[in-house]
Amino acid sequence: IAQNWKEEKQLRLEAEAKIEADKPKVLFAESLQVSKDSILVADLAKVIKQNGYDIGEKRLFRWLRENGYLIKSGSEYNMPTQRSMDLKIFEIKYTTRQGTPKVTGKGQVYFINKFLGSDVSA
């Protein structure tokens, strides 16, 4: 019984240390997810790059088109696909000339996890 208690205590201490180490990442992700502010794709590229994945605005736009998040051609070029809109990871900001895709807070978390979780080959 004493040995089991000792092992359980060690596992609990390791879990608590991991929680403490992950706290900044969790706070960052939660703040993005509840954020009412959407950001431009260029800004998302900067956030991803700051978190260790080497990508810029043009490569991110290309990756988003190639992977079905943005429309590839025509008058709706670079606008969110229906899939993206259903996932609620993009919204469209309308300006006087055209619509601009913006990444929602939920989309920011989605793409950061996708890129930093090695789920991407860009």
Side-chain angles (χ1 to χ4, degrees), residues 9-110:
K9 185 176 180 182
Q10 181 61 33
L11 289 173
R12 191 183 84 243
L13 290 173
E14 289 171 7
E16 289 173 357
K18 173 133 178 62
I19 289 169
E20 198 60 36
D22 289 346
K23 192 178 274 187
K25 295 176 191 173
V26 171
L27 290 173
F28 175 70
E30 287 175 348
S31 68
L32 287 177
Q33 201 154 15
V34 298
S35 171
K36 300 277 187 240
D37 296 331
S38 297
I39 62 171
L40 296 169
V41 173
D43 295 327
L44 176 62
K46 291 174 188 171
V47 170
I48 293 171
K49 186 168 183 120
Q50 287 173 349
N51 282 282
Y53 192 91
D54 189 25
I55 196 161
E57 177 184 6
K58 290 181 181 182
R59 283 184 284 163
L60 181 56
F61 264 109
R62 183 178 63 233
W63 185 90
L64 291 169
R65 286 190 301 270
E66 290 171 356
N67 289 278
Y69 295 102
L70 296 178
I71 297 173
K72 294 180 183 182
S73 62
S75 63
E76 298 290 313
Y77 182 73
N78 275 351
M79 294 302 284
T81 60
Q82 188 61 51
R83 170 184 166 208
S84 295
M85 296 303 286
D86 290 346
L87 289 171
K88 297 181 180 172
I89 55 178
F90 281 100
E91 66 182 16
I92 302 168
K93 177 185 176 191
Y94 288 99
T95 60
T96 54
R97 282 196 249 153
Q98 64 188 30
T100 303
K102 293 188 82 175
V103 185
T104 63
K106 179 180 178 179
Q108 293 167 49
V109 172
Y110 178 87

